Amino acid sequence: MHIIGHIVRFIVSALVLLLVSHIVHGFYIHGFWRAIIAAIVITLLGLAMEALFGRRISPYGRGIIGFISGAIVIYVAQIFVHGMHVSIIGALLASLVIGIIDLFVPTSFRRPRNE
């Protein structure tokens, strides 16, 4: 994927995070640039989690494990992003809403199933 494609995906991810911030009580991001930083941090944490535990635990995986690992990644991301505040319930709800939005507007970096 070209660099423009990555930039577009991070912008879409940031917009999704801002939308989720308005929908989910317990999940808050202050401003667009912090949402961009949060999208980058969430991607990096998701890739690190996937490298440690394998593809099945990826936040972008399907099922309950993907949902829970997504919530953990979102909750931990607040440590690295100032202006992002997430409660445990907020992380769970955000993971659910992001998963639903991702069904219609894919924001993740997906790899072919063969890997």
Side-chain angles (χ1 to χ4, degrees):
M1 179 178 277
H2 294 82
I3 190 72
I4 299 297
H6 289 299
I7 291 170
V8 168
R9 287 201 184 262
F10 281 120
I11 290 171
V12 170
S13 295
L15 292 173
V16 168
L17 289 173
L18 287 172
L19 175 69
V20 170
S21 177
H22 285 38
I23 294 172
V24 175
H25 182 69
F27 181 88
Y28 174 75
I29 294 182
H30 180 72
F32 178 73
W33 291 109
R34 296 198 187 175
I36 290 280
I37 293 168
I40 293 168
V41 167
I42 288 170
T43 299
L44 294 175
L45 288 173
L47 290 173
M49 185 178 252
E50 185 178 315
L52 287 173
F53 299 109
R55 178 79 174 137
R56 288 219 180 269
I57 198 150
S58 170
Y60 305 117
R62 300 290 179 227
I64 190 74
I65 300 298
F67 165 72
I68 292 172
S69 66
I72 291 169
V73 165
I74 290 167
Y75 188 77
V76 171
Q78 74 178 328
I79 296 169
F80 302 103
V81 181
H82 297 291
M84 179 178 177
H85 305 285
V86 184
S87 67
I88 293 172
I89 299 297
L92 289 168
L93 291 173
S95 181
L96 177 66
V97 171
I98 289 169
I100 291 169
I101 291 172
D102 192 44
L103 288 172
F104 301 103
V105 182
T107 57
S108 62
F109 295 96
R110 293 200 177 118
R111 295 183 200 158
R113 288 258 186 216
N114 300 353
E115 291 184 29

